[in-house]
Amino acid sequence: MDIAAAEPSSPLEPWPDTVEWQPVSRDLIWVELIRWGASAAMLLLPLGILWAIFGIWPLGLAFVVVLVLMLWRFWAIFRAVRAWGYAERDHDLLVRHGLLVRRLSIVPYARMQFVDVSAGPLERAFNLSTVQLHTAAAASDARVPGLRPAEASRLRDRLTALGEDRAEGL
């Protein structure tokens, strides 16, 4: 295999073609839409009521601006969820996400201190979980949201076992 052909075309290219990316569940789109929609509604509802009562044009303008931003964010959520992915390699786990600012986190198994699995009420309603990886570095926050509980448990167990195996060799 030609090494040059396997490498990314640019050092800024965060999605290597040489790994098999696993996507997160598309149900994460609904979780994010509901989260964002609830937040936006808490802003839109008072603006709409005040605009209806007082008829002041700046309130109407604010309402329209918030509505347009909300619709844009809904569209961005679809793309953002599709950007999430993870790949298990021999010595590390890759986690990618982001639209405008694409981010690739590489977490060596030997550096993992513990793996956390969580599921909030909304995630549980859609049968999803999030796997969070913790390392000694405070800035590392590699997480994989939108996993089915069985896949989250499998990934947690595998990462824990690989982390223990790799740490023994240090």
Side-chain angles (χ1 to χ4, degrees), residues 8-17 19 21 94-98 101-106:
S9 59
S10 160
L12 299 176
E13 179 60 39
W15 311 150
D17 293 330
V19 297
W21 291 103
L94 306 179
V95 181
R96 70 175 187 189
H97 64 93
V101 177
R102 299 193 295 177
R103 182 174 181 151
L104 175 66
S105 298
I106 302 172

Side-chain angles (χ1 to χ4, degrees), residues 3-63:
I3 299 286
E7 292 181 13
S9 59
S10 160
L12 299 176
E13 179 60 39
W15 311 150
D17 293 330
T18 58
V19 297
E20 187 176 329
W21 291 103
Q22 301 298 317
V24 299
S25 171
R26 297 297 180 238
D27 286 343
L28 183 60
I29 292 171
W30 290 108
V31 171
E32 294 300 323
L33 285 175
I34 291 169
R35 277 186 191 145
W36 178 253
S39 300
M42 289 191 305
L43 188 57
L44 276 177
L45 190 60
L47 276 175
I49 290 171
L50 290 172
W51 182 31
I53 291 172
F54 298 110
I56 301 172
W57 73 266
L59 289 172
L61 179 62
F63 181 85

Side-chain angles (χ1 to χ4, degrees), residues 117 127-129 147-157:
V117 178
N127 196 31
L128 297 175
S129 298
L147 297 177
R148 296 290 175 207
E151 174 61 7
S153 294
R154 184 204 66 80
L155 186 59
R156 177 202 61 213
D157 294 346

